[in-house]
Amino acid sequence: MRHKLWRRLTWHRRAFRGCASSSHKADEKFTRIDMADLSTSDCYRLMISAVVPRPIGLLTTLDATGIVNCAPFSYSSIVSHDPPIVCTSISHRSTEHGIKKDTLVNIETTGEYVFNVVSSDFLQQANQCAGDYPAGTDEMLEAGLATLPSSHVQPPRVAQSRVSLECTLFDTKPIANDAGKHSCTLVLGRVRAVHVRDDVIKRRTSSSGTEAVTVDLEGLEVVGRAGDITYWPVGREDGGGGSLRMPRPKV
């Protein structure tokens, strides 16, 4: 018995060594970059090219007068499923003067927003919402996007979005840079309802006998942000996913 066990352990060690040697070369070189040595702009370029692709949250909010604001943010992700929470980090317009973007002001004022997922078929319109518009501008009108009513919050959903998450404000975390200036704010949103377009929904019966719903990835054709001004993957006519450079709109 011991002999068989030893042979089995020996085989696993050899297999592990084989896997390790096939994925690593002794002559591979790495460059260490100390972040403290980089300027803010150089740090930005490195970070957004290293952590890819990043989900895009196209956030819709309402200002105090009821005007819709719509803006894309790629510092976004999921934090938790119990409770369901998503996060978005919103950088300030001006770090030196602490000027917050309209989206953040609206969320802090009303406590509500909608996290709309971006697909390749309306990427151009979503990017149009990234323009530096004056406060009070309805970016959805500027970009030609339509709205749909929400059920739990006042801000509308983006009609073109195949998946939208209605959120109420769970918490915010101000983030300061090394100079002590408030550079961005991390927003945590409690998901109250998820809207999934019927043609991208997948249903199955779970082990408990209840219906489980998920989103079809291929049907969603989701778009992420990469480095520089690049979006990836983006659907192509041949069915593959490529990259697309798209500068921010000039307003």
Side-chain angles (χ1 to χ4, degrees), residues 83-94:
I85 293 178
V86 291
C87 70
T88 300
S89 181
I90 302 177
S91 301
H92 289 188
R93 291 181 184 272
S94 169

Side-chain angles (χ1 to χ4, degrees), residues 5 16 42 51 53 56 62 84 91 106 127 137 159 190 198 227 241 251:
L5 179 60
F16 178 78
D42 287 340
V51 184
I56 304 169
L62 292 177
S91 301
N106 293 347
N127 183 68
T137 301
R190 173 70 183 263
D198 285 350
V251 178

